[in-house]
């Protein structure tokens, strides 16, 4: 269970940056050594430079996505991601973003 309520303004900034796919704004939300993983893939993207490269390389896949707020694991903030399908007017479920927030910046424990 989370010790404190998540910062709603910070969560809103994440949603805005992701949905607009503003890579600079998105990466700015991560801690300098923040990281991202995408189970079931065996992949970790660590550090702002690598996060910028990852989001740039995957832009085609995520652009146009929408995020809906949910909670997981006892209250951690998360978002269900829906992305465009072949029919651009239809969004399909894609994944869940689980966020770990420390010091009002994004981070993730080291694997």
């Amino acid at each position: 269970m989370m010790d404190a309520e998540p910062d709603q303004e910070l969560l809103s900034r994440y949603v805005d940056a992701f949905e607009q796919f503003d890579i600079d704004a998105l990466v700015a939300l991560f801690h300098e050594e923040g990281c991202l993983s995408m189970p079931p893939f065996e992949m970790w993207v660590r550090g702002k430079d690598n996060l910028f490269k990852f989001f740039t390389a995957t832009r085609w896949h995520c652009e146009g996505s929408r995020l809906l707020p949910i909670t997981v694991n006892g209250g951690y903030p998360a978002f269900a991601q829906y992305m465009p399908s072949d029919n651009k007017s239809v969004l399909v479920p894609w994944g869940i973003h689980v966020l770990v927030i420390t010091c009002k910046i994004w981070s993730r424990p080291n694997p």
Side-chain angles (χ1 to χ4, degrees):
M1 181 71 97
M2 288 186 56
D3 294 336
E5 287 296 313
D7 182 325
Q8 294 303 315
E9 188 270 334
L10 188 60
L11 294 174
S12 291
R13 286 174 46 206
Y14 178 82
V15 170
D16 289 344
F18 193 88
E19 288 185 348
Q20 294 174 30
F21 225 77
D22 181 340
I23 296 171
D24 289 323
L26 189 57
V27 171
L29 294 170
F30 282 82
H31 181 276
E32 188 61 38
E33 291 303 317
C35 54
L36 171 144
S37 66
M38 287 182 43
F41 306 108
E42 292 186 26
M43 139 190 139
W44 283 86
V45 180
R46 180 174 285 116
K48 287 188 173 195
D49 289 342
N50 289 329
L51 287 164
F52 185 88
K53 291 174 189 172
F54 173 80
F55 287 127
T56 299
T58 59
R59 168 178 233 124
W60 65 272
H61 185 73
C62 293
E63 204 161 31
S65 290
R66 293 292 171 253
L67 300 179
L68 297 178
I70 60 173
T71 57
V72 297
N73 300 336
Y76 284 92
F79 296 95
Q81 178 184 353
Y82 292 81
M83 57 177 272
S85 64
D86 291 336
N87 175 347
K88 298 297 181 193
S89 65
V90 176
L91 296 175
V92 295
W94 171 249
I96 297 176
H97 297 222
V98 179
L99 308 173
V100 176
I101 305 170
T102 59
C103 302
K104 295 194 178 202
I105 51 178
W106 306 111
S107 67
R108 180 165 174 101
N110 289 330

